[in-house]
Every structure is written in structure tokens, then in C-alpha cells.
């Protein structure tokens, strides 16, 4: 479909950034600052099998949420991304599409693929900006282990510095100096705490990345993140997943976590707190999913040693017999061992 004078192109804003940088929180904080009739659809890509952030997003003012799991849109799931964008256009015709990438997405490849779709749709879908969210508190640590984190900071239209309130002014100056060595031409802005960023600063940037058809991806995707699924409940363990371009591992185990009375007991928050305190923030970057405690169902969001619990009703896709359904993400070669320890501490399985 080609755009007409009466139909404006649909801009696409892409959020990249390493695991736990705060992309979802920034996106959700944008919504109250937009006019009530402004329609936004979120297309989210995440590791593992557990739809977590979509449950949060569905409680927001987003027009719709679509989630692509078990892989990365910039490599093995490119076809799914294109299909999802076309479906969003046809079904919702939103004012804007926001793409939230997995933590290891390579921005150059994404920009290239969206530019291809832009040409295929006669510019009806249009890349507006690639935005990179930086976790000011932890960037120095994860950048050492992640070439993709460096590429995300290098290849972007705008760098959003998040969690800067947690570090000293001197540490912030050092971070900004370092970001300038990676990318001295790209503007850098700070978040406004829980208010995130002003939409006027990040919408309408009209990206120039990969405008020429002859341009191609700078290099291939870096396979850095390993994931496992941790489960506790009565039933079947969901498929686990290793994020790997060449090999996928799908363990399938029967597990039963019932009390002697046949009722599944909730997880005590104190047991959860102690178990999470023993997870290494050097090798494990993210733990997220659902937990059923004595206070009800919560979304657990753990990153670099800190976590929070967000209360929910009964989420889609979660059985009343499920107690724990978590995805652990981290450094390749370290996640399985850490996952087994956390599963054991929670009385579950991996």
C-alpha cells in the first residue's frame, strides 16, 4: 500500500539498550504525556517463553501490544518482525509504532530491515528513530562483556541516559566522557526520573540511518545472551530456551509442586528475597517473570542486584496452579548453573 495525501506515514520508533536498562519503564512513562486520541502500538521482542512486560503494557493506554518471544528480531526473527509490523498497520493504523528490542539486538540490522519495509510499503511505514537507553549505574560493567552494548551506544539517533540519579556527578561525567568516545556526534539526554523523557525530544527525529538502498548491515548479530526458564507449579514445565543463532535447546520435564493436600502453595516473599540476594549480578543480568506469593500474583523484575514486584490480577497464560514462571538471562556459560541454584532455592525446576 502506498501512502496518499490524506494518509500520513506511520512512524516507527525503536528502543534498544542492554538487559535491564529500563526501556519498558521509559516507554510506559511516555504514554500519559501524549494526547488521549494518539494511538500507539507496542511491538516487543524478548528472550524466553514468558510474556512479562506485555502484561504491564496491557494495563496502560496503549492501543495494542504484540510480543515476539524466543529469539531476536535482528537475526532469526526478522520475518516475524516484518509480518507483525504489517499486521499492526492493517489492523490498527496507529499514529506511531514503538518497537522495544531484546537486550542484545543489533541496531544497524534492525534499521536496515525497517528501511527495506519502508521501501516495500511506499514509505507508509517509516523509520523515525533508533533510540538507545543506557543504564548509567551498570553500563561500565556490562559494556565490558558485550560488543552489542557498545554497538547500541555507537549506532543510534539519540542516547537516553537512565538511572543517572543512582551515581555521583563525577561518575556521570566519566560515563558521558566514555559515551563520547564511542559516539561523539549523537545527542545525549537524561531521563526525568519516573517521568521518563519528553515525547517532543524523541518523536519526529526523522532518522537518516540506512536511507540509501545500497547500504547494508555493518556486521552480524552478536550472540551473547543465554536464557533459561525456571518453573514451579503443578503441570508441565514450559519449553526452556537458549538464545543461539545455530542451536536451540528445549528441555521438557514433568514437574509437580503440590502440598500433601493437593493445593499448590504460594511462594513466601522472604524465601524469594533470600534466593534473589544470592544471584550474581556480575554474570546474571536479568530475572523476570511471574511469582505467586501469599499476597497474590506479581511481576518480578530483577536487574543487577535490585528487584521490584508489581501486583497483578490473573495474567493471561498463567495457570492458577503456577507459582513461579521466570526467565533468567545472563552471560553465556554461566546461566544454567545460576538457574539451577535459583530453582532449587525456590523449590522449583529449570
Amino acid at each position: 500500500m502506498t501512502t496518499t495525501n490524506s494518509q500520513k506515514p506511520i512512524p516507527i520508533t525503536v528502543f534498544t539498550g542492554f538487559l535491564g536498562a529500563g526501556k519498558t519503564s521509559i516507554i510506559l512513562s511516555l504514554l500519559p504525556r501524549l494526547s488521549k486520541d494518539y494511538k500507539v502500538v507496542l511491538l516487543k521482542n524478548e528472550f524466553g517463553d514468558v510474556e512479562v512486560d506485555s502484561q504491564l503494557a496491557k494495563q496502560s493506554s496503549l492501543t495494542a501490544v504484540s510480543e515476539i518471544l524466543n529469539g531476536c528480531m535482528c537475526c532469526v526473527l526478522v520475518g516475524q518482525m516484518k509480518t507483525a509490523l504489517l499486521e499492526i498497520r492493517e489492523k490498527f493504523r496507529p499514529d506511531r509504532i514503538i518497537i522495544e528490542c531484546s537486550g542484545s539486538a543489533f541496531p544497524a540490522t534492525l534499521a536496515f530491515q525497517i528501511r527495506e519495509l519502508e521501501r516495500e510499503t511506499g514509505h507508509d511505514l517509516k523509520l523515525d528513530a533508533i533510540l538507545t537507553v543506557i543504564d548509567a549505574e551498570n553500563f561500565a560493567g556490562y559494556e565490558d562483556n558485550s560488543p552489542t552494548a557498545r554497538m547500541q551506544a555507537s549506532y543510534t539517533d539519540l542516547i537516553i541516559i537512565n538511572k543517572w540519579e543512582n551515581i555521583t556527578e563525577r561518575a556521570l561525567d566519566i560515563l558521558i566522557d566514555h559515551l563520547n568516545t564511542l559516539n561523539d556526534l549523537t545527542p545525549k539526554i537524561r531521563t526525568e526520573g519516573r517521568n521518563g523523557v519528553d515525547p517532543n525530544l524523541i518523536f519526529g527525529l526523522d532518522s537518516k540511518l540506512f536511507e540509501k538502498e545500497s547500504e547494508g548491515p555493518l556486521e552480524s548479530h552478536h550472540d551473547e545472551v543465554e536464557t533459561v526458564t525456571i518453573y514451579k507449579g503443578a503441570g508441565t514445565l514450559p519449553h526452556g530456551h537458549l538464545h543461539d543463532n545455530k542451536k536451540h535447546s528445549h528441555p521438557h520435564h514433568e514437574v509437580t509442586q503440590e502440598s500433601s493436600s493437593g493445593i499448590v502453595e504460594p511462594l513466601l516473599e522472604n524465601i524469594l528475597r533470600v534466593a534473589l540476594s544470592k544471584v550474581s549480578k556480575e554474570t546474571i543480568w536479568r530475572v523476570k517473570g511471574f511469582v505467586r506469593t501469599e499476597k497474590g500474583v506479581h511481576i518480578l523484575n530483577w536487574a543487577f542486584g535490585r528487584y521490584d514486584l508489581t501486583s497483578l490480577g490473573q495474567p493471561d497464560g498463567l495457570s492458577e496452579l503456577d507459582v513461579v514462571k521466570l526467565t533468567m538471562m545472563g552471560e553465556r556459560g554461566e546461566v544454567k548453573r545460576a538457574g539451577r541454584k535459583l530453582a532449587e532455592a525456590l523449590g522449583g525446576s529449570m
Side-chain angles (χ1 to χ4, degrees), residues 230-251:
I230 297 167
Y231 180 77
K232 178 179 180 179
T236 304
L237 181 70
H239 285 174
H241 178 71
L242 299 182
H243 181 68
D244 193 312
N245 295 351
K246 298 179 181 178
K247 181 174 65 177
H248 294 265
S249 173
H250 295 282

Side-chain angles (χ1 to χ4, degrees), residues 12 14 16 73-74 78 81-82 99 101 105-119 126-131 155-157 207-212 215-218:
I12 299 173
V14 180
T16 70
M73 286 192 296
C74 77
V78 165
M81 179 189 75
K82 285 189 172 184
I99 297 178
C101 304
F106 185 47
T109 312
L110 279 168
F112 176 70
Q113 299 297 339
I114 295 171
R115 287 298 190 195
E116 277 193 338
L117 192 57
E118 186 176 308
R119 290 186 282 271
K126 181 170 174 48
L127 178 63
D128 185 33
I130 301 283
L131 310 174
Y155 196 83
T156 183
D157 292 295
S207 175
K208 304 303 178 186
L209 302 177
F210 282 126
E211 275 195 319
K212 297 179 181 178
E215 294 178 302
L218 298 179

Side-chain angles (χ1 to χ4, degrees), residues 141-142 145 279-285 302 304-305 330-331 334:
Y142 65 69
N145 297 317
V279 176
S280 168
K281 66 178 183 178
E282 279 70 42
T283 57
I284 304 303
W285 301 319
W302 181 100
F304 300 103
E331 185 178 331
E334 300 293 331

Side-chain angles (χ1 to χ4, degrees), residues 105-301:
F106 185 47
T109 312
L110 279 168
F112 176 70
Q113 299 297 339
I114 295 171
R115 287 298 190 195
E116 277 193 338
L117 192 57
E118 186 176 308
R119 290 186 282 271
E120 291 169 9
T121 60
H123 295 265
D124 190 41
L125 293 171
K126 181 170 174 48
L127 178 63
D128 185 33
I130 301 283
L131 310 174
T132 298
V133 180
I134 296 293
D135 176 350
E137 190 175 13
N138 296 293
F139 182 72
Y142 65 69
E143 186 221 5
D144 287 342
N145 297 317
S146 174
T148 302
R150 291 192 290 275
M151 289 305 301
Q152 288 169 344
S154 303
Y155 196 83
T156 183
D157 292 295
L158 182 71
I159 293 174
I160 301 172
I161 302 174
N162 195 28
K163 306 181 187 180
W164 57 272
E165 305 94 333
N166 298 332
I167 63 176
T168 64
E169 282 293 329
R170 174 168 171 74
L172 181 60
D173 289 341
I174 292 171
L175 170 66
I176 293 173
D177 287 343
H178 181 55
L179 290 173
N180 286 333
T181 65
L182 294 173
N183 188 338
D184 63 335
L185 300 177
T186 296
K188 301 162 188 69
I189 63 172
R190 303 184 200 180
T191 54
E192 304 170 11
R194 292 190 177 275
N195 290 326
V197 293
D198 186 342
N200 294 314
L201 295 177
I202 63 174
F203 290 169
L205 296 185
D206 194 20
S207 175
K208 304 303 178 186
L209 302 177
F210 282 126
E211 275 195 319
K212 297 179 181 178
E213 192 169 357
S214 59
E215 294 178 302
L218 298 179
E219 58 181 278
S220 61
H221 171 72
H222 294 284
D223 182 32
E224 301 162 351
V225 180
E226 185 177 41
T227 73
V228 297
T229 300
I230 297 167
Y231 180 77
K232 178 179 180 179
T236 304
L237 181 70
H239 285 174
H241 178 71
L242 299 182
H243 181 68
D244 193 312
N245 295 351
K246 298 179 181 178
K247 181 174 65 177
H248 294 265
S249 173
H250 295 282
H252 195 70
H253 306 289
E254 294 292 327
V255 292
T256 302
Q257 303 289 341
E258 298 185 8
S259 68
S260 57
S261 64
I263 300 173
V264 177
E265 299 290 343
L267 184 69
L268 297 177
E269 281 193 29
N270 187 52
I271 291 176
L272 177 64
R273 179 182 58 79
V274 172
L276 291 174
S277 71
K278 297 177 181 178
V279 176
S280 168
K281 66 178 183 178
E282 279 70 42
T283 57
I284 304 303
W285 301 319
R286 203 78 188 273
V287 181
K288 61 195 302 186
F290 302 105
V291 292
R292 187 184 301 277
T293 73
E294 66 271 29
K295 298 177 182 177
V297 179
H298 295 77
I299 286 178
L300 168 70
N301 201 332

